[in-house]
């Protein structure tokens, strides 16, 4: 395709390092759509004839069918998907095929193809996340009032409801979804096609037409920027990476919850693996791999960012590495979301184990301090001090839950404490009392579940 200037063929290793066809053949649909839009515009502008355009359109459709059927022969010598398709087109339709590349370059071509691919992948990622959110809300609905320990520093803090915990992730994934899809809606405002190699072209092309045909809102206003920028891919990778971090935190909790030490939940057989030596094991491999893949997706962002940050404008071949990183990140991301959805749908929670853990560690101590403030008008700092002494007493007496400590022990610390106060220190009463907006009380959780269900509809 560019042999005219050279007397010798490239070295084998030159070809190997240069070729991207193994990776970028995944852009074939976008490449054909881009070429069809470009050829139609060239004909509408009188730059090629209507007959040539008709031949190009039909030829490209046939090539699309060949690729879809798996009969297309991809060639490393032809470097990338753009040259592979163009060469095949000329093979099929002759002279007209050689006119397709008028007024464009592989630089604007690849930027357009890759941007279209990334926008579609991001839209799909939004759908995968929606399915995960629906699974989370369904489980939250089933367990809106199941009690578990809430942690800070992974130390038992206050009792919470399982529904509340699951909805926390639903909320995080909503911000992720909006970021992932939103960045791509923004990317749609600038179509690179027609920027040509870097400087635009002398042909009277109509960039609005190709932009609209490909679903963009407008042509990119600066040709150097259009061919030399990959921030749409960086944004997608950064956004995937943030979401993968959230997936990884949930995965980490699944690893903890399903350990015999926590015993809060059991993974279904379909989402567990066994050990080749220890017959009793049920391992949470999928959750562990989500943690690892989150690191890999973050790595894709860091790598592409490092590639782009040292490039002078406009296009440089370094940018070719963008696709392997981005494809891999989306593939990993899809697996993570699908696996997480499957695990969430089938996790069996253990109500008794979670409740018992929630009651340990004097998790309702704050409720006693709050009672002292509310009923006796004790300043909070003083109430904290009194409650601290009672916790110490319970610990010394070997009583595991505050609700189980005798009233006499409370009154030994502060005689004003009544049976009514003591009765409030169960984990059930504790979660029921936390009715502030966004709080863990089952009634608040149920309101949020209703809101999510409306959102999904
Ligand atoms: N395969 C190349 C890529 O993915 C296409 C653009 C090649 N442009 C060039 N001037 N060699 O970046």
């Amino acid at each position: 395709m560019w042999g005219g200037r050279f007397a010798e063929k490239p070295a084998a290793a030159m070809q190997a390092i240069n070729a991207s066809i193994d990776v970028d053949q995944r852009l074939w649909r976008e490449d054909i759509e881009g070429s069809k839009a470009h050829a139609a515009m060239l004909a509408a502008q009188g730059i090629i004839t209507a007959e040539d355009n008709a031949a190009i359109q039909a030829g490209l459709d046939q090539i699309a069918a060949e690729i879809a059927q798996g009969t297309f022969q991809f060639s490393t010598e032809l470097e990338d998907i753009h040259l592979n398709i163009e060469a095949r087109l000329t093979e099929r339709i002759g002279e007209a095929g050689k006119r397709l590349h008028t007024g464009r370059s592989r630089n604007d071509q690849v930027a357009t193809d890759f941007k279209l691919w990334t926008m579609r992948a991001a839209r799909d990622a939004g759908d995968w996340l929606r399915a995960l959110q629906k699974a989370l809300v369904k489980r939250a609905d089933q367990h809106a009032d199941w009690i578990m320990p809430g942690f800070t520093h992974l130390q038992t803090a206050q009792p919470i409801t399982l529904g509340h915990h699951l909805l926390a992730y639903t909320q995080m994934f909503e911000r992720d979804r909006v970021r992932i899809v939103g960045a791509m809606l923004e990317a749609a405002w600038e179509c690179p096609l027609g920027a040509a190699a870097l400087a635009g072209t002398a042909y009277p092309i109509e960039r609005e037409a190709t932009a609209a045909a490909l679903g963009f809102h407008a042509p990119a206003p600066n040709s150097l920027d259009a061919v030399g920028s990959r921030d749409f891919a960086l944004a997608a990778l950064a956004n995937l990476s943030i979401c993968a971090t959230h997936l990884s935190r949930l995965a980490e909790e699944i690893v903890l919850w399903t350990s015999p030490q926590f015993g809060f939940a059991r993974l279904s057989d379909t989402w567990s693996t066994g050990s080749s030596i220890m017959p009793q094991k049920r391992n949470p491999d999928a959750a562990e791999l989500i943690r690892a893949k989150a690191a890999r997706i973050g790595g894709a962002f860091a790598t592409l960012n490092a590639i782009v940050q040292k490039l002078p404008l406009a296009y440089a071949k370094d940018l070719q590495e963008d696709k392997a990183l981005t494809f891999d990140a989306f593939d990993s991301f899809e697996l993570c979301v699908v696996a997480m959805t499957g695990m969430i749908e089938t996790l069996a929670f253990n109500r008794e184990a979670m409740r018992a853990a929630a009651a340990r560690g004097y998790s309702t101590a704050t409720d006693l301090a709050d009672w002292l403030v509310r009923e006796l008008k004790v300043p909070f700092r003083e109430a904290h001090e009194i409650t601290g002494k009672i916790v110490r007493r319970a610990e010394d007496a070997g009583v595991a839950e505050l609700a189980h400590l005798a009233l006499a022990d409370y009154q030994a610390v502060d005689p004003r404490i009544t049976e009514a106060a003591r009765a409030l220190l169960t984990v059930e009463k504790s979660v029921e009392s936390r009715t502030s907006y966004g709080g863990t009380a089952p009634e608040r959780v149920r309101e949020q579940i209703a809101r999510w269900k409306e959102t999904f509809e």
Side-chain angles (χ1 to χ4, degrees):
M1 289 283 168
W2 36 259
R5 196 220 177 288
F6 297 87
E8 287 190 89
K9 292 191 107 194
M14 174 65 222
Q15 245 177 40
I17 196 173
N18 201 36
S20 56
I21 187 62
D22 287 347
V23 172
D24 63 24
Q25 55 177 270
R26 208 162 156 175
L27 294 176
W28 68 268
R29 278 192 196 82
E30 289 74 18
D31 196 67
I32 287 175
E33 283 170 45
S35 289
K36 291 186 66 154
H38 182 67
M41 178 278 292
L42 290 178
Q45 295 297 106
I47 301 168
I48 62 173
T49 63
E51 295 72 47
D52 283 347
N53 177 41
I56 290 170
Q57 299 294 335
L60 288 171
D61 286 340
Q62 284 157 354
I63 290 171
E66 285 175 10
I67 299 176
Q69 285 156 18
T71 56
F72 188 94
Q73 292 293 317
F74 291 104
S75 147
T76 310
E77 269 171 52
L78 289 167
E79 233 184 275
D80 57 25
I81 187 64
H82 325 292
L83 297 183
N84 266 270
I85 290 178
E86 198 190 322
R88 177 72 181 135
L89 182 67
T90 299
E91 197 175 282
R92 291 197 71 121
I93 68 170
E95 187 80 6
K98 297 185 185 174
R99 297 191 196 281
L100 170 61
H101 211 53
T102 312
R104 78 170 183 188
S105 150
R106 274 189 295 158
N107 295 352
D108 58 336
Q109 195 179 350
V110 73
T112 306
D113 294 359
F114 182 43
K115 196 175 200 187
L116 276 176
W117 187 95
T118 306
M119 285 162 56
R120 289 168 186 176
R123 188 195 53 203
D124 292 345
D127 295 343
W128 308 329
L129 283 173
R130 256 292 185 258
L132 172 57
Q133 289 180 306
K134 286 180 182 170
L136 284 163
V137 169
K138 188 169 174 202
R139 299 316 304 273
D141 202 6
Q142 289 163 350
H143 304 306
D145 58 356
W146 285 29
I147 294 169
M148 67 183 287
F151 302 99
T152 58
H153 316 265
L154 197 58
Q155 305 286 319
T156 306
Q158 291 174 344
I160 57 168
T161 49
L162 177 55
H164 195 54
H165 197 113
L166 296 173
L167 290 188
Y169 282 103
T170 315
Q171 209 67 47
M172 289 146 84
F173 293 136
E174 180 64 4
R175 290 194 299 277
D176 296 336
R177 198 187 61 82
V178 168
R179 256 193 304 268
I180 291 168
V181 177
M184 293 300 111
L185 294 176
E186 206 177 292
W189 281 93
E190 297 184 356
C191 178
L193 194 60
L198 74 163
T201 175
Y203 295 100
I205 59 170
E206 178 60 57
R207 294 190 57 209
E208 278 78 11
T210 45
L214 295 171
F216 288 94
H217 301 298
N222 183 295
S223 60
L224 295 169
D225 173 37
V227 293
S229 296
R230 291 294 181 273
D231 47 285
F232 65 87
L234 285 170
L237 293 178
N239 293 335
L240 288 191
S241 173
I242 294 168
C243 183
T245 291
H246 293 157
L247 287 163
S248 178
R249 291 181 77 174
L250 179 51
E252 167 65 7
E253 298 206 298
I254 290 175
V255 171
L256 288 173
W257 292 348
T258 57
S259 70
Q261 286 68 23
F262 271 76
F264 289 3
R266 184 180 163 97
L267 279 169
S268 67
D269 284 2
T270 46
W271 289 100
S272 305
T273 52
S275 155
S276 57
I277 172 168
M278 297 164 285
Q280 83 284 8
K281 292 298 287 293
R282 296 175 70 81
N283 290 331
D285 289 30
E288 295 165 273
L289 285 163
I290 288 171
R291 289 190 308 212
K293 286 187 191 297
R296 178 164 157 177
I297 294 167
F301 168 75
T303 307
L304 184 55
N305 200 38
I307 287 172
V308 177
Q309 64 191 202
K310 64 201 176 320
L311 299 184
L313 288 183
Y315 178 85
K317 199 61 176 262
D318 313 44
L319 292 176
Q320 178 164 283
E321 295 284 316
D322 56 3
K323 287 171 283 300
L325 293 163
T326 305
F327 295 164
D328 181 72
F330 272 98
D331 289 345
S332 299
F333 185 78
E334 178 175 16
L335 273 174
C336 290
V337 180
V338 170
M340 183 57 82
T341 305
M343 284 191 285
I344 290 294
E345 276 168 347
T346 55
L347 259 187
F349 292 100
N350 183 329
R351 188 171 198 167
E352 288 66 43
M354 289 192 301
R355 191 208 172 278
R360 278 196 299 274
Y362 312 112
S363 62
T364 56
T366 320
D367 300 76
L368 178 58
D370 289 342
W371 182 87
L372 290 163
V373 170
R374 197 172 58 243
E375 302 297 326
L376 305 182
K377 311 293 172 220
V378 173
F380 183 78
R381 276 292 147 237
E382 213 175 292
H384 189 288
E385 168 89 18
I386 295 166
T387 308
K389 286 183 181 152
I390 289 169
V391 167
R392 188 150 26 110
R393 218 179 157 86
E395 213 163 32
D396 291 344
V399 175
E401 292 183 33
L402 276 188
H404 296 164
L405 187 68
L407 185 62
D409 283 299
Y410 285 90
Q411 293 180 335
V413 176
D414 191 316
R416 296 171 298 178
I417 298 176
T418 64
E419 182 54 38
R422 204 184 74 103
L424 287 179
L425 304 183
T426 64
V427 291
E428 286 77 12
K429 288 272 182 298
S430 175
V431 297
E432 278 163 26
S433 73
R434 294 209 152 47
T435 53
S436 56
Y437 179 78
T440 202
E443 59 172 301
R444 286 285 163 270
V445 172
R446 292 202 174 95
E447 282 168 11
Q448 293 296 326
I449 289 167
R451 183 178 64 82
W452 278 116
K453 286 181 177 170
E454 265 174 46
T455 303
F456 296 155
E457 277 163 24

